[in-house]
Amino acid sequence: MSVNIPEIFACNVFNEDVMKTRLPKNVYRALKRTMQNNEPLADMETADVVANTIKEWAIERGATHYTHWFQPMTGSTAEKHDCFISPAPNGMAIMEFSGKALVKGEPDASSFPSGGLRRTSSARGYTAWDPTSYCFVKEGSLYIPTVFVSYTGEVLDKKTPLLRSMQALSKTAVRFLKLFGNDRVTRVTSTVGAEQEYFLIDKKMYDQREDLILTGRTLFGAKPPKGQDLDDQYFANLRPRVAAYMAELDEELWKLGIYSKTKHNEVAPAQHEMAPIFTTSNLGTDQNELAMEVMEKVALKHGLVCLLHEKPFEGVNGSGKHNNWSMSTNDGQNLLDPGDTPMDNLQFLTILCALIKGVDEYADLMRLSAASAGNDHRLGADEAPPAIVSMFLGEELEAVLQAIEDDAVYKTKARAFKIGVDALPSFPKDSTDRNRTSPFAFTGNRFEFRMVGSSDNIACPNVLLNTIVCEELSQFTEILEPFKGKDNFDAEVRKLLKTVIKEHRRIIFNGDGYSEEWVKEAERRGLPNYASTVDCMPHYMDEKNVRIFRKFEIYNQNEVAARTEIHLEKYSKTVRIEARTMIEMARKQLLPATMDYVQSLCEAIATKKQIGFTCNTDEKIAKKLNELADRFYESIERLETRVTEANSVSGIQKQAEFFHDVVLAEMDIMRSIADEIELNMPAAKWPIPAYSEIIYNV
Ligand code: ADP
Ligand code: MG
């Protein structure tokens, strides 16, 4: 049964096409102005018309409820459903939806993390309709994308700063582009295409693992005999269950207006990827949140569980979310497209240098935009980008920059590609090769930020990228504006670029980012290497960082402090839950199973001895496991003490550090003992499914 994609695409989305056909012309135009130019929606009457139209449309699609959908600091989306129901005369009911209800909601904010921004006594929070994203219908409700702010107007969510950063970027970039004679551009939009990695495992296995259920990752598990050693998973043909899952996932995503484009098996066994076509950062963020939800739900229909955690399994690759980022103008230019002759594309080179300078100066922000307890297990491990932020530009751009630095002439090389088989079509070679080990890699017409964790909301990295670029573009504009339209403009630009390249070259690294040498080399270059969330998070509050947030009105100082606090608190809570889960599994499942087995060995030994059988092997195994059980028990006790100690550490940063330095370290010890026990136990006696059962089962 084949799917008619154009027919089902966006059938549940109130997009521009629907708006155009359903809304009165003047209302449509007003809404479109809001969407395109960030103009506030004219008045409540307009909102009323929009609301009524959306309601009719949603009811046709089976909706009975509406919900203001928002992205609080919990890291997931939030929704509260209200029915369209309203009393009518004679005890009857009608379906009603007003402009007021569309525009504003008032969820009680007190149960969402605010990092001290909102006292419980003033719990009021508001959700406000974001007309720049699309409403959609799902599971009987109309979803209205909203932002979430406190009574005093401080941000409590991930969307508001994103919208602020997009607005600031547009203003800054439009002014910058005028320098290069780009006068027609009135709007610049940041774009994102988020490649989403995930694991798929059998629900029956999942249900037997408390660690997966409670923490999203396995806290125990000996390495299987075969991991990703043979490199035979990446792009491998799709097994039937996986293919069926992916087909349904695609269909559901298409119906929700998400251009799901690419699907394939990833490097680790049971690991896969879905990549949509890029869109604006705003819509892209909403769609990625939605995609993650749909991925999890569709999996359940197939008896599967979709794991979005960054590191569900030790010893094989973790999952990331490659955040492909660029900027496009309202007249259709991709500002990171170098064209065929990058050397002559001064506008591109200037933007590139702005990025080089920005990434170097704000590497700490880039790093912390991807920091979480889950992602800590991934960044810096040998498969993921290292925790050191650097940029990959590729050979040609490197050479172009070198030429600028040396005041030399760079000749663009003809880039014909030679395969050596006459019958094959010829095609031009790209200006960059790929480098999969770089955290921030130029990939031909965009940068791919690879640090982001698979379960993360992508708003934060995009807010920070946008803000950094704002700062650099505005600095460049200040410097270059006096020369605008003058004969020496090009020369002045080159002079500026030369200085920037000289000063910030250290951030460019085209080699192997996974290598030990790079860690040393980066240190020599003075690049920060923040290994964990607790190392990088305090830098959110560094003066230089707060300065740019305030300058572009992304966050005020309190809002940055609140965010720092929320991230650190979440870190501590995550590790605490993991530690407690380990303790519980150890006490209730793993240790009793081990002791039972030792006991049964001992009984066997006694019986064997009675009839004069040798029992060397039984004794050896029993002795070994008995010793391991002793060590295991001690480590459980120690971990328990450590968690109690951690709870009484005062200060949010200090507590997070304690969880990182002490509790996590103890968890590692405990795990290694458990894994050794597992390797010495009969499979049938081990109470939880082993790695090889889980990752080779689907
Ligand atoms: P890869 O080979 O890196 O795995 P994919 O095709 O899986 O590439 O994903 C590349 C992503 O980059 C897609 O989501 C694509 O839409 C996105 N992308 C392409 N151009 C841009 C752009 N100008 N801005 C943002 N994202 C882009
Ligand atoms: Mg990909």
Side-chain angles (χ1 to χ4, degrees):
M1 194 183 59
S2 77
V3 187
N4 185 337
I5 302 176
E7 199 172 289
I8 63 160
F9 190 79
C11 63
N12 292 325
V13 184
F14 194 76
N15 59 15
E16 273 167 65
D17 193 53
V18 187
M19 292 174 199
K20 202 169 173 176
T21 41
R22 296 236 178 184
L23 291 170
K25 261 207 179 67
N26 59 330
V27 176
Y28 169 70
R29 274 199 297 261
L31 194 55
K32 182 130 183 159
R33 273 199 304 276
T34 303
M35 289 166 58
Q36 283 193 339
N37 310 337
N38 250 325
E39 286 175 28
L41 197 61
D43 46 60
M44 223 12 123
E45 275 145 63
T46 313
D48 275 330
V49 178
V50 178
N52 198 52
T53 312
I54 295 189
K55 180 200 73 184
E56 298 292 325
W57 171 86
I59 289 174
E60 285 165 28
R61 274 152 195 80
T64 51
H65 289 66
Y66 67 92
T67 178
H68 275 200
W69 187 61
F70 58 105
Q71 299 171 24
M73 295 302 292
T74 51
S76 1
T77 54
E79 51 194 47
K80 178 187 102 190
H81 302 256
D82 277 303
C83 191
F84 291 122
I85 195 167
S86 182
N90 309 323
M92 301 304 286
I94 50 163
M95 299 298 256
E96 240 178 25
F97 189 45
S98 67
K100 200 169 148 246
L102 165 68
V103 169
K104 190 183 102 186
E106 275 187 58
D108 184 339
S110 60
S111 299
F112 293 103
S114 78
L117 282 183
R118 167 208 29 72
R119 283 157 287 122
T120 334
S121 54
S122 54
R124 229 179 241 276
Y126 295 109
T127 48
W129 174 38
D130 166 18
T132 65
S133 186
Y134 295 138
C135 296
F136 56 91
V137 167
K138 182 170 73 69
E139 295 150 11
S141 280
L142 167 70
Y143 281 71
I144 303 158
T146 61
V147 299
F148 181 43
V149 293
S150 77
Y151 183 68
T152 44
E154 270 143 336
V155 284
L156 297 175
D157 71 344
K158 308 208 173 202
K159 269 298 280 295
T160 314
L162 180 64
L163 296 177
R164 288 178 181 173
S165 77
M166 290 175 75
Q167 186 171 312
L169 180 68
S170 183
K171 239 163 84 184
T172 315
V174 165
R175 184 170 155 208
F176 167 84
L177 289 174
K178 290 209 187 333
L179 296 174
F180 294 86
N182 243 317
D183 288 315
R184 287 174 326 233
V185 177
T186 55
R187 195 163 41 90
V188 171
T189 317
S190 57
T191 53
V192 67
E195 301 166 53
Q196 178 71 51
E197 292 180 343
Y198 61 98
F199 280 81
L200 267 190
I201 64 168
D202 195 297
K203 174 86 163 50
K204 288 195 286 294
M205 302 289 158
Y206 174 87
D207 286 339
Q208 294 173 62
R209 302 248 353 186
E210 195 179 344
D211 47 4
L212 284 175
I213 295 172
L214 296 184
T215 73
R217 73 179 180 110
T218 53
L219 301 167
F220 298 104
K223 287 195 182 61
K226 177 182 183 239
Q228 56 197 52
D229 318 61
L230 294 176
D231 293 326
D232 54 354
Q233 315 289 336
Y234 191 59
F235 286 10
N237 63 49
L238 304 173
R239 288 173 303 284
R241 271 181 96 184
V242 175
Y245 167 79
M246 287 178 165
E248 188 174 342
L249 175 64
D250 271 343
E251 203 174 321
E252 292 305 316
L253 294 176
W254 292 328
K255 286 191 209 160
L256 289 165
I258 299 171
Y259 293 92
S260 177
K261 168 99 173 154
T262 308
K263 50 187 180 187
H264 61 81
N265 284 344
E266 257 299 335
V267 171
Q271 193 187 30
H272 316 281
E273 181 184 297
M274 183 284 292
I277 297 174
F278 73 97
T279 176
T280 66
S281 308
N282 182 28
L283 202 53
T285 300
D286 285 0
Q287 293 192 338
N288 181 250
E289 289 298 300
L290 195 52
M292 288 194 285
E293 182 189 325
V294 174
M295 289 166 95
E296 290 181 330
K297 286 185 173 160
V298 170
L300 292 176
K301 289 208 229 164
H302 292 252
L304 300 166
V305 174
C306 170
L307 302 176
L308 293 169
H309 194 283
E310 285 75 18
K311 195 73 179 177
F313 303 102
E314 216 40 62
V316 294
N317 273 12
S319 299
K321 179 143 52 194
H322 295 173
N323 188 98
N324 292 272
W325 175 92
S326 187
M327 297 172 279
S328 46
T329 64
N330 60 319
D331 66 350
Q333 307 173 53
N334 173 358
L335 293 181
L336 288 181
D337 187 350
D340 289 336
T341 53
M343 185 64 182
D344 307 322
N345 190 342
L346 213 49
Q347 176 183 300
F348 166 77
L349 290 173
T350 312
I351 294 172
L352 182 69
C353 286
L355 269 157
I356 293 171
K357 180 167 179 290
V359 174
D360 188 25
E361 288 175 342
Y362 298 97
D364 50 356
L365 285 182
M366 305 269 297
R367 168 67 183 93
L368 68 84
S369 80
S372 69
N375 215 15
D376 276 4
H377 298 289
R378 177 177 160 260
L379 295 182
D382 29 303
E383 92 281 353
I388 307 161
V389 174
S390 68
M391 283 170 103
F392 168 81
L393 298 182
E395 225 174 281
E396 177 163 22
L397 290 185
E398 266 279 295
V400 169
L401 296 184
Q402 191 62 55
I404 295 176
E405 196 178 342
D406 301 343
D407 291 320
V409 184
Y410 174 83
K411 277 225 160 37
T412 303
K413 295 189 188 76
R415 294 195 297 247
F417 197 87
K418 252 187 89 181
I419 300 181
V421 179
D422 294 339
L424 297 183
S426 64
F427 48 82
K429 197 169 156 179
D430 285 318
S431 58
T432 58
D433 189 9
R434 291 295 186 101
N435 178 329
R436 294 183 56 92
T437 67
S438 175
F440 198 64
F442 187 67
T443 46
N445 59 4
R446 61 186 183 270
F447 270 95
E448 185 169 340
F449 183 40
R450 302 213 177 94
M451 281 185 152
V452 185
S454 50
S455 69
D456 260 355
N457 183 308
I458 55 172
C460 183
N462 290 293
V463 168
L464 299 189
L465 264 166
N466 288 351
T467 311
I468 293 167
V469 173
C470 270
E471 169 62 10
E472 305 303 345
L473 289 185
S474 83
Q475 278 188 23
F476 282 15
T477 308
E478 294 291 330
I479 297 170
L480 296 174
E481 240 167 20
F483 305 100
K484 189 182 163 209
K486 303 230 167 86
D487 286 348
N488 60 347
F489 179 74
D490 283 13
E492 287 299 325
V493 174
R494 278 175 204 279
K495 205 168 99 192
L496 171 66
L497 301 192
K498 195 172 159 174
T499 327
V500 169
I501 297 164
K502 264 207 173 76
E503 272 174 34
H504 300 283
R505 170 174 283 293
R506 64 172 191 168
I507 197 72
I508 301 167
F509 178 64
N510 289 341
D512 179 2
Y514 296 173
S515 65
E516 222 7 81
E517 297 85 75
W518 170 231
V519 178
K520 290 195 201 106
E521 165 72 12
E523 195 181 333
R524 213 180 43 74
R525 294 188 190 185
L527 298 176
N529 182 1
Y530 300 118
S532 74
T533 301
V534 296
D535 293 330
C536 64
M537 209 41 87
H539 294 285
Y540 226 157
M541 290 295 290
D542 284 359
E543 204 185 310
K544 69 172 176 75
N545 296 335
V546 173
R547 190 186 63 82
I548 59 168
F549 290 135
R550 291 181 53 179
K551 177 169 167 189
F552 296 99
E553 299 180 332
I554 313 296
Y555 300 121
N556 62 35
Q557 180 144 0
N558 289 341
E559 288 169 338
V560 189
R563 252 142 237 261
T564 312
E565 200 172 288
I566 290 170
H567 282 298
L568 287 167
E569 261 179 353
K570 184 162 182 195
Y571 179 88
S572 293
K573 285 178 183 166
T574 305
V575 180
R576 182 189 297 131
I577 292 170
E578 289 180 349
R580 284 182 178 157
T581 306
M582 281 187 105
I583 294 168
E584 181 157 300
M585 288 174 77
R587 279 201 198 285
K588 295 199 188 309
Q589 292 185 289
L590 307 187
L591 187 61
T594 314
M595 288 164 66
D596 276 355
Y597 183 55
V598 173
Q599 172 70 16
S600 69
L601 283 173
C602 292
E603 282 162 13
I605 292 165
T607 318
K608 277 183 165 183
K609 277 194 173 150
Q610 273 173 11
I611 51 174
F613 277 18
T614 58
C615 33
N616 291 348
T617 308
D618 311 63
E619 276 176 359
K620 271 188 205 150
I621 300 175
K623 184 162 180 284
K624 187 169 189 179
L625 281 171
N626 197 50
E627 278 169 16
L628 282 167
D630 285 345
R631 281 174 51 207
F632 193 32
Y633 178 72
E634 281 160 22
S635 84
I636 300 170
E637 296 277 287
R638 269 200 317 269
L639 183 57
E640 209 153 39
T641 316
R642 294 312 201 187
V643 173
T644 314
E645 281 169 18
N647 291 341
S648 60
V649 173
S650 61
I652 291 169
Q653 172 72 27
K654 283 263 162 336
Q655 187 175 56
E657 280 169 13
F658 192 91
F659 271 108
H660 176 266
D661 300 346
V662 181
V663 177
L664 264 185
E666 199 62 58
M667 284 163 62
D668 281 346
I669 296 173
M670 186 165 153
R671 178 185 182 138
S672 67
I673 301 170
D675 291 356
E676 203 180 332
I677 296 178
E678 183 190 336
L679 290 173
N680 285 282
M681 290 271 288
K685 306 269 183 213
W686 194 240
I688 54 175
Y691 267 26
S692 40
E693 286 176 81
I694 304 175
I695 58 179
Y696 292 110
N697 188 278
V698 178

